[in-house]
C-alpha cells in the first residue's frame, strides 16, 4: 500500500523542516514548501493526501491557499496552523472554509498525529 503524502507549508524554513521530520517519522512521505504559490506548484506533481499549512505567510496566506487547494485538489485535506489564532479564525477555517482542523502553535505533536490519522 502506498504511503500517504503530506505537504507541509511554512514560511519559516526551520519550522517546516522540523515538522516534516516528525511527520516522516510517523511513516508519511513529506515535502516542504515555503509559501502558498510554491505549494500549488509542488502539489501538481506530489499529489498530497494532506496539506499542513501555516496561516500567516507572504504572497498567498493559509486561507487563500485553502481556497485554491479546495478548487484544484479537492481530495486533499487541509490542516491549518497559526501562531496568532482566535476562536473566530478557527470557526471560519473549519466551518466556513472547509479546513479539516485548526491548530494554534506551539503544536501538540501527539494531537497532530491523531488528527492526521483521522484526516487520512
Amino acid at each position: 500500500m502506498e504511503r500517504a503524502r503530506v505537504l507541509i507549508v511554512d514560511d519559516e524554513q526551520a519550522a517546516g523542516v522540523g515538522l516534516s521530520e516528525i511527520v516522516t517519522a510517523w511513516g508519511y512521505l513529506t515535502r516542504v514548501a515555503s509559501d502558498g504559490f510554491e505549494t500549488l506548484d509542488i502539489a501538481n506533481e506530489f499529489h498530497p493526501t494532506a496539506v499542513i499549512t501555516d496561516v500567516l505567510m507572504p504572497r498567498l496566506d493559509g486561507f487563500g491557499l485553502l481556497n485554491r487547494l479546495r478548487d484544484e485538489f479537492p481530495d486533499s485535506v487541509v490542516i491549518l496552523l497559526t501562531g496568532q489564532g482566535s476562536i473566530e479564525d478557527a470557526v471560519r477555517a473549519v466551518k466556513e472554509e472547509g479546513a479539516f482542523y485548526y491548530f494554534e502553535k506551539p503544536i501538540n505533536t501527539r494531537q497532530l498525529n491523531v488528527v492526521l490519522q483521522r484526516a487520512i
Side-chain angles (χ1 to χ4, degrees):
M1 186 168 124
E2 184 175 309
R3 294 189 304 171
R5 299 167 180 261
V6 180
L7 182 48
I8 297 164
V9 190
D10 200 311
D11 60 322
E12 294 180 26
Q13 184 179 5
V17 170
L19 187 54
S20 174
E21 290 172 357
I22 292 167
V23 174
T24 298
W26 295 337
Y28 300 102
L29 294 173
T30 63
R31 292 279 304 269
V32 178
S34 61
D35 67 40
F37 290 115
E38 182 182 10
T39 301
L40 296 171
D41 289 341
I42 292 171
N44 279 315
E45 55 93 9
F46 186 62
H47 306 288
T49 310
V51 177
I52 301 173
T53 182
D54 192 12
V55 171
L56 297 176
M57 297 183 295
R59 301 187 339 136
L60 181 62
D61 71 5
F63 281 104
L65 177 60
L66 171 60
N67 287 319
R68 294 280 302 269
L69 289 167
R70 265 197 350 242
D71 292 341
E72 297 176 35
F73 304 93
D75 294 334
S76 297
V77 295
V78 179
I79 297 169
L80 295 175
L81 313 174
T82 186
Q84 300 175 9
S86 67
I87 292 172
E88 293 81 15
D89 284 345
V91 169
R92 174 183 167 207
V94 175
K95 299 290 185 188
E96 298 172 19
E97 302 288 341
F100 186 83
Y101 206 85
Y102 183 92
F103 280 98
E104 284 193 48
K105 294 179 182 179
I107 302 163
N108 176 324
T109 56
R110 176 176 275 143
Q111 185 180 10
L112 176 60
N113 190 3
V114 170
V115 168
L116 192 54
Q117 288 176 31
R118 273 196 277 146
I120 292 173

